[in-house]
Amino acid sequence: MSLISIQKTDSYAPAGMKAAVAAHFAALEVEKDLFPGMKVLLKPNLLAARRPEQGVTTHPALVQAVIDWLRERGVEDITLADSPGGLYNESRLRAVYAASGMDRLEGAALNLDTGSEPVEQPRGRVCRRFDIIRPVRQADLIINLPKVKTHGMTVVSLGVKNLFGAVPGLEKPALHCRCPGWREFAGMLLDLAELVAPAVTLADGVTGMEGDGPAGGTVRQLGYTFASRDIYTLDWFLAERVMGIPPDGVPMLRQARERGLVEEAPLLTGDPLGEIAPFTRPKSQSADFTDRLPGFLRRPAKALAGGLFRPKPQVAAALCVGCGRCAESCPRQVIQIQGGKASIDLKNCISCFCCQEMCPVKAIGAKRVFFG
C-alpha cells in the first residue's frame, strides 16, 4: 500500500524544517536506501530566477534540511541540479541559484555541468527517447523536491511535472512541439517520470502558488510538507485533497490512473490534514462556461468549446517590458518583440503557456479565442 507522510510545517524556520524532513524520511524508511560512496541528486523546482518568497521555486530551507539529514548519515556526494526554463548554460544556472537562495546552501554541490545524454524509454507510450541532464544519469538515488503549484497547461505542477527539469534547456520546447496537445504532453510527462524514477518525492507546501502558476500566480500559505515514495499517488492526493482540484480533470493524473500508477486510497501517516480552501485555478483552465450547464450536457459542450474556443496566452502591453523571455521559450517560435512589446501569433500557438511561465513581470494571462 502506498504511504503518504504529512507534516504540519508552519514556516521555513530551520528547526521546523529539520524536524519535518526527519519525520518524513523516518516514515518512508529512506535510511535503508543509503550506502557508502553513493551519489545523491536533489531535484528542486528552479523554474526561473525568482526569490524564495515569490513562491515559484522550492525553498532553500527545505533543501538545506534534506542535505543536513543526508550528511548526518554519512552521505557526502550530494548534488543539486535542475534545468530551468530557457537556455541551459552556466550563466543562467548561476543566476537562478543566486536568486532562489540555493547558492547559500552548505554541504551540497550546485550543478554547473550543462551536458546531457540520450536515454531510451522502452516502456514509453508517447515518448521512447529523452535527453536527460548528466547529473540525473549519474545519481544512485534521486530525491524529488517539487513546489505545490497550479500550472497553466498541466493544471497542477507537483512531483511528476517537476521532473520535466531533467530535460535540458531548449529540449523542453522541442518536446512541446512533438507533443502539442495537452493529452499528449501529459503522457510524455508520465513516460519521463517512469524513466527518472525518483526514490522519494518531498513536496514543499509551506507556501504554494495558486492562479496563474507556475510563476505568475499568487503565493498561497498552506503550512504543510508532504512526502511519498509513490510520486503518482502523491500527486493525485495533493490535487484532490490539498488543492481541491478533481484529479480526473487533470490529464496527467487521469492518465496515471489509466496506467494503473495511482492508488486512490493510500495510507496516511503523520499530522492530520485540516480544512483547506480550494486553490484558484489558472485562467487558462478556469475560463469555461460549461460548468453552468446540466451534467449530461457538460462533456459534449466541453469538447465543442475545447475545439472552438481554445485558451490562448494574452499579453498585457502595459505590463510587458519587452525582455524577450517569452520568445526565447516559445516552442513554435510564434512570439516576436515588436516596438518593445511581445506579440503572439495566436493561430499558430499551441497553448502550452511556456510564455506565461517565463514572464518575469506577470504580463501574460489567458483568454479564449474562437477558431473555426
Side-chain angles (χ1 to χ4, degrees):
M1 175 175 286
S2 295
L3 179 68
I4 294 176
S5 175
I6 303 170
Q7 287 295 313
K8 189 80 174 72
T9 320
D10 293 322
S11 76
Y12 291 108
M17 283 285 100
K18 182 174 182 177
V21 168
H24 286 309
F25 287 179
L28 301 176
E29 300 183 325
V30 178
E31 194 163 354
K32 290 183 177 180
D33 293 354
L34 308 183
F35 59 86
M38 72 185 305
K39 295 177 180 291
V40 176
L41 175 80
L42 307 183
K43 169 59 183 76
N45 184 323
L46 297 181
L47 173 66
R50 301 289 194 274
R51 300 184 307 278
E53 63 270 20
Q54 291 178 282
V56 174
T57 55
T58 306
H59 200 283
L62 176 58
V63 181
Q64 185 65 67
V66 174
I67 295 169
D68 292 344
W69 186 91
L70 290 166
R71 292 191 71 85
E72 287 168 4
R73 285 153 183 82
V75 179
E76 296 181 354
D77 194 341
I78 306 169
T79 300
L80 180 143
D82 191 16
S83 173
L87 299 175
Y88 185 51
N89 56 36
E90 183 174 334
S91 62
R92 179 65 62 85
L93 287 175
R94 289 188 183 277
V96 172
Y97 292 150
S100 63
M102 299 299 164
D103 64 345
R104 296 187 289 278
L105 295 174
E106 297 180 355
L110 302 180
N111 175 59
L112 294 174
D113 177 355
T114 57
S116 62
E117 300 176 12
V119 184
E120 300 298 320
Q121 166 51 304
R123 294 175 297 160
R125 301 191 185 186
V126 175
C127 190
R128 298 179 69 87
R129 181 185 179 279
F130 291 94
D131 279 344
I132 301 295
I133 62 175
R134 195 167 289 139
V136 170
R137 294 290 298 147
Q138 296 172 340
D140 296 308
L141 183 139
I142 298 172
I143 299 178
N144 188 25
L145 300 171
K147 190 82 169 171
V148 177
K149 299 189 292 183
T150 51
H151 193 283
M153 182 180 187
T154 60
V155 189
V156 296
S157 177
L158 301 166
V160 171
K161 180 61 175 65
N162 191 48
L163 297 180
F164 198 37
V167 175
L170 298 182
E171 287 296 318
K172 290 196 281 290
L175 283 172
H176 274 288
C177 287
R178 288 167 58 190
C179 310
W182 289 2
R183 179 173 176 79
E184 293 90 344
F185 189 77
M188 178 276 297
L189 289 175
L190 291 174
D191 291 341
L192 177 62
E194 290 193 79
L195 177 64
V196 175
V200 178
T201 296
L202 198 171
D204 177 3
V206 181
T207 61
M209 178 171 284
E210 62 182 351
D212 289 334
T218 302
V219 176
R220 172 73 180 271
Q221 181 70 32
L222 274 178
Y224 290 93
T225 50
F226 308 88
S228 182
R229 290 182 177 272
D230 183 344
I231 185 174
Y232 313 101
T233 297
L234 178 61
D235 277 11
W236 184 284
F237 171 83
L238 290 173
E240 183 176 46
R241 298 280 300 278
V242 177
M243 305 176 80
I245 296 174
D248 272 334
V250 180
M252 177 173 58
L253 298 180
R254 184 172 64 249
Q255 289 182 48
R257 187 177 66 172
E258 290 168 357
R259 294 188 187 192
L261 298 172
V262 173
E263 186 173 328
E264 293 183 55
L267 178 64
L268 306 181
T269 187
D271 294 326
L273 190 65
E275 291 293 324
I276 301 174
F279 273 47
T280 300
R281 300 192 196 187
K283 293 186 180 69
S284 59
Q285 301 292 334
S286 60
D288 185 355
F289 68 90
T290 59
D291 288 338
R292 305 172 194 170
L293 298 176
F296 71 95
L297 291 176
R298 288 177 188 170
R299 180 169 292 182
K302 281 180 183 290
L304 179 64
L308 298 180
F309 297 95
R310 298 196 301 272
K312 297 287 182 178
Q314 180 179 36
V315 178
L319 298 177
C320 179
V321 296
C323 67
R325 287 290 174 84
C326 55
E328 176 186 84
S329 64
C330 178
R332 286 289 178 88
Q333 297 296 294
V334 298
I335 303 178
Q336 296 182 337
I337 306 301
Q338 299 175 336
K341 303 292 182 181
S343 176
I344 304 175
D345 174 7
L346 294 179
K347 286 193 174 181
N348 291 305
C349 169
I350 61 173
S351 300
C352 67
F353 290 90
C354 290
C355 53
Q356 186 186 62
E357 283 189 34
M358 299 311 300
C359 179
V361 293
K362 302 185 181 182
I364 300 179
K367 66 176 180 179
R368 288 204 176 259
V369 178
F370 175 80
F371 288 100

